[in-house]
Amino acid sequence: MQIPLSNVINYMKIKVVVLNFFLKNKKIILPFFAVLFFISLYFLIDFSSQSLVAHDEGLYARRARLIESSANWFSPPFISPHHKTVGSYWFIALSIRLFGNSELAVRLPSILSSFLCLITSYLIALKTTNSKSALISLFSLSSMPLWIQYSRYASPDLPFVLCILLVILFFLKSLDSSKYISQYFNLFCSGLFISSSFFIRSYMAFVPFIGLTPFIFYHLFKKEFTFKLFFCTGIAVGFIPTFLNLYFSFQKFGISGITSLFDFAKKQALGEFGFNNLLLVPVNFLYLTFPIGILLLILFVFTGSNNKANYPLLIYCYPLLSLILLLCMSTSYPHYYLFLLPSLSIIFANYLTSNSLRYSSSSSIIRYLLFIVLLIISSVLLFSILRSSDLVFLYSRGNPLIVYILISLIVLSYITSLRFLFDIKYPNSNLINFFYNIIIPQYISLSLLFNFGVLGNPNHNTKLFLKDADVSSIINSNTIYLFSVDSKIQTLLSYYLPSSVIVDDFEVISKYKYVITSNANSLEKLNLKQIFVPVKKFDNHLLLMNIGS
């Protein structure tokens, strides 16, 4: 069939119009699609391939569900005094209320908070440095392995970081504003988020508070009394949820409902100083912030920043003081350092955009150090993939191609970035190009590995077990009793199976119809094996049915 000439002419005209429009507006269209792709990596997650991490995610999810089902969200719905404020579980509980019991519901608060943290951190960087540094800090923060991991983790850590960033942003806006009403509002909001962060993360909020104290006091004490009043009023209003939580805890448990919160803080902060933790901090820093941590370390040693920060007490004193406090704590975990990552990314961007060499050989040393680092990382990645093909197949759930493609993308970015290292005509701009060349593929690869459940999916077998047709028909219509179950799996099953009951007394186990246990040998010792038959097994756990009842 011959196509009419008029249709061909119309098609050519439309093609020309579209092409001209794209060429005229490519400075807008290309960034728009780039931003759209960047955002999509945050939200396009295959939740069928996700499972919660025990203990933390399982505990937060289970406790949040208890709060969601309670009549009073300020009163702790636990059987004993709790060591955290209920605000730790509010966002997850609200998400469960809106979206039901699922990995999407319990992880959505962290996903949204992380995305808002990136925007807030970028705005802070704009006020403290410049637009070029702010963009670099945005990509730096979003690509750190620790940040990517906790952006898809059911916990209050990212909402807490968002609160701290909002404290800083609103305080900076109050300093920049010339209108009194705007200054009053921003100071009130800054104070509000200070106390709100305590409701979300309990005693951990004191660490950034103390770190921010020199910056806030320096600027606030120069203000009139009215400005201080609005700031303190914001703090007082933000403490209302905490006061209500403590009041209902006291009503339910007495004074122990309050002291348990501070006893836990004392236990975490004070005690025997662990030198092992101190030795592990640099290793975790380099590993969990790669490549930002190692790039900043190299730049700090061999170059000096030419950019002058607008608020040095905020840019340098705040993270340094907070870091010292964290190092002095008797117990310290990697996620405790999350709130410092935005500051780290801003400091790094400040160094990267404009620096001067400390020594005559600095340029050569930087190039060869980075070359050696990339060579080592590439070799380790390739060796691990080739040596552990069975593990790759296992963790990719039978689809190793995606792992091979994404790892190849990272290695290829390392190889192609070498051309920027050894072009000595424009050392500063080439170092920035080198940074973008390795950071963007890393962000894409790690995000997709988490999104498709290759990473951050340690209990996939448990999920498959619960989705099994025979098992789901039983658990949906019966109470499941958990006897001698591994503590981590018990935490997960307590969330995934709301009607489950934990049983410690083996003398009454023969009365129950369905039992999950991690230790079938214990039933044999108790002479119960003959009345229980296995329905399904996962890992070393068994779902048993009582045929004698």
Side-chain angles (χ1 to χ4, degrees):
M1 181 179 176
Q2 188 174 3
I3 300 174
L5 183 61
S6 59
N7 289 352
V8 175
I9 294 173
N10 289 335
Y11 170 76
M12 295 299 296
K13 287 182 178 179
I14 294 171
K15 184 179 178 180
V16 170
V17 170
V18 171
L19 185 61
N20 289 335
F21 176 81
F22 178 80
L23 292 174
K24 289 180 181 179
N25 299 278
K26 63 180 180 180
K27 291 185 178 180
I28 300 174
I29 295 174
L30 291 178
F32 172 77
F33 280 106
V35 171
L36 196 64
F37 177 70
F38 180 89
I39 296 173
S40 69
L41 291 176
Y42 254 83
F43 297 101
L44 294 180
I45 300 175
D46 177 15
F47 280 96
S48 66
S49 66
Q50 307 293 306
S51 65
L52 298 182
V53 177
H55 281 282
D56 282 0
E57 281 196 298
L59 287 174
Y60 280 117
R62 181 164 58 86
R63 292 167 182 168
R65 194 184 60 219
L66 290 174
I67 290 175
E68 186 274 332
S69 60
S70 67
N72 184 354
W73 282 27
F74 290 102
S75 178
F78 313 114
I79 59 175
S80 60
H82 198 56
H83 60 279
K84 294 184 179 182
T85 50
V86 292
S88 299
Y89 315 105
W90 263 27
F91 290 103
I92 300 176
L94 179 61
S95 188
I96 291 174
R97 173 68 61 88
L98 295 175
F99 304 105
N101 283 317
S102 65
E103 284 82 6
L104 168 64
V106 299
R107 288 178 171 174
L108 187 59
S110 291
I111 295 171
L112 293 175
S113 296
S114 174
F115 183 69
L116 293 174
C117 281
L118 292 179
I119 298 173
T120 309
S121 178
Y122 175 77
L123 295 175
I124 292 172
L126 278 179
K127 291 183 175 296
T128 55
T129 55
N130 53 64
S131 58
K132 190 176 183 180
S133 296
L135 188 62
I136 290 174
S137 72
L138 174 68
F139 279 97
S140 302
L141 181 59
S142 63
S143 65
M144 293 182 191
L146 183 64
W147 187 266
I148 293 174
Q149 177 187 351
Y150 276 87
S151 297
R152 296 153 179 83
Y153 198 87
S155 75
D157 294 296
L158 267 301
F160 168 67
V161 174
L162 178 60
C163 277
I164 300 302
L165 290 175
L166 289 173
V167 170
I168 297 170
L169 179 63
F170 279 113
F171 198 89
L172 289 173
K173 288 171 71 71
S174 74
L175 297 178
D176 292 344
S177 178
S178 58
K179 297 180 180 179
Y180 278 4
I181 186 67
S182 178
Q183 292 183 53
Y184 294 153
F185 173 78
N186 288 314
L187 283 173
F188 175 84
C189 290
S190 182
L192 180 73
F193 283 109
I194 281 181
S195 44
S196 297
S197 62
F198 182 85
F199 182 59
I200 293 173
R201 204 64 179 86
S202 312
Y203 79 97
M204 268 300 297
F206 284 114
V207 178
F209 293 169
I210 297 172
L212 285 170
T213 297
F215 167 69
I216 291 177
F217 279 18
Y218 174 78
H219 292 282
L220 197 60
F221 280 174
K222 296 189 294 184
K223 299 275 188 181
E224 298 174 1
F225 174 77
T226 310
F227 294 95
K228 300 172 187 175
L229 180 63
F230 271 90
F231 182 74
C232 293
T233 303
I235 294 177
V237 172
F239 265 124
I240 290 176
T242 302
F243 288 141
L244 289 172
N245 178 205
L246 295 178
Y247 169 76
F248 285 110
S249 295
F250 178 78
Q251 291 288 99
K252 188 172 184 178
F253 302 113
I255 191 64
S256 60
I258 298 176
T259 57
S260 61
L261 182 69
F262 299 99
D263 287 343
F264 180 75
K266 182 180 178 181
K267 178 184 176 182
Q268 294 292 96
L270 303 176
E272 185 178 349
F273 184 77
F275 284 99
N276 289 335
N277 289 337
L278 187 62
L279 294 174
L280 285 174
V281 166
V283 178
N284 286 332
F285 167 74
L286 296 177
Y287 165 67
L288 295 172
T289 64
F290 183 84
I292 309 306
I294 195 164
L295 282 172
L296 177 59
L297 184 63
I298 291 172
L299 289 174
F300 180 78
V301 172
F302 296 104
T303 69
S305 176
N306 294 332
N307 288 335
K308 184 179 180 182
N310 294 335
Y311 302 98
L313 287 176
L314 173 63
I315 300 301
Y316 301 111
C317 181
Y318 155 60
L320 179 61
L321 190 55
S322 300
L323 179 61
I324 292 172
L325 290 173
L326 288 172
L327 291 176
C328 291
M329 291 173 63
S330 61
T331 305
S332 182
Y333 300 102
H335 64 271
Y336 285 9
Y337 297 85
L338 274 170
F339 74 92
L340 290 176
L341 296 188
S343 295
L344 175 68
S345 65
I346 293 173
I347 294 173
F348 167 73
N350 215 27
Y351 264 91
L352 186 64
T353 51
S354 180
N355 55 71
S356 55
L357 302 177
R358 293 185 187 273
Y359 319 105
S360 58
S361 58
S362 289
S363 181
S364 298
I365 294 175
I366 290 172
R367 288 201 301 271
Y368 285 106
L369 275 177
L370 291 176
F371 171 74
I372 292 170
V373 169
L374 293 184
L375 182 62
I376 293 173
I377 299 298
S378 300
S379 302
V380 169
L381 285 174
L382 292 175
F383 179 78
S384 301
I385 291 296
L386 296 175
R387 182 75 182 271
S388 308
S389 56
D390 293 340
L391 288 177
V392 171
F393 188 84
L394 176 65
Y395 283 104
S396 62
R397 318 304 167 197
N399 187 22
L401 183 61
I402 186 173
V403 178
Y404 292 132
I405 291 174
L406 294 177
I407 295 299
S408 299
L409 176 63
I410 293 176
V411 174
L412 183 62
S413 71
Y414 292 165
I415 295 173
T416 57
S417 64
L418 294 178
R419 72 185 190 274
F420 298 114
L421 288 182
F422 296 98
D423 184 355
I424 60 175
K425 291 182 180 179
Y426 309 102
N428 277 349
S429 61
N430 279 332
L431 205 55
I432 294 174
N433 291 332
F434 168 83
F435 161 76
Y436 280 121
N437 200 74
I438 63 174
I439 216 70
I440 294 175
Q442 174 171 305
Y443 169 72
I444 295 171
S445 299
L446 289 181
S447 296
L448 291 176
L449 288 173
F450 273 99
N451 290 357
F452 288 107
V454 179
L455 298 176
N457 183 23
N459 294 294
H460 184 69
N461 290 339
T462 305
K463 281 289 298 294
L464 290 179
F465 165 76
L466 296 173
K467 286 182 177 181
D468 180 85
D470 295 332
V471 174
S472 61
S473 63
I474 294 172
I475 64 179
N476 289 334
S477 55
N478 296 275
T479 299
I480 308 298
Y481 295 88
L482 310 179
F483 173 72
S484 188
V485 178
D486 176 78
S487 62
K488 291 185 177 183
I489 298 299
Q490 179 177 293
T491 299
L492 288 177
L493 292 178
S494 295
Y495 168 72
Y496 285 124
L497 306 175
S499 61
S500 62
V501 177
I502 298 171
V503 180
D504 296 321
D505 189 357
F506 64 84
E507 294 180 357
V508 297
I509 192 175
S510 60
K511 300 178 182 178
Y512 303 133
K513 182 69 175 176
Y514 294 101
V515 176
I516 292 179
T517 182
S518 300
N519 188 5
N521 293 329
S522 63
L523 299 180
E524 187 173 4
K525 293 177 182 177
L526 299 172
N527 297 319
L528 294 172
K529 196 168 184 179
Q530 65 272 19
I531 64 172
F532 282 99
V533 294
V535 177
K536 197 75 176 178
K537 182 179 181 180
F538 69 104
D539 296 335
N540 63 327
H541 312 288
L542 287 170
L543 171 61
L544 304 171
M545 182 174 68
N546 190 334
I547 58 174
S549 62

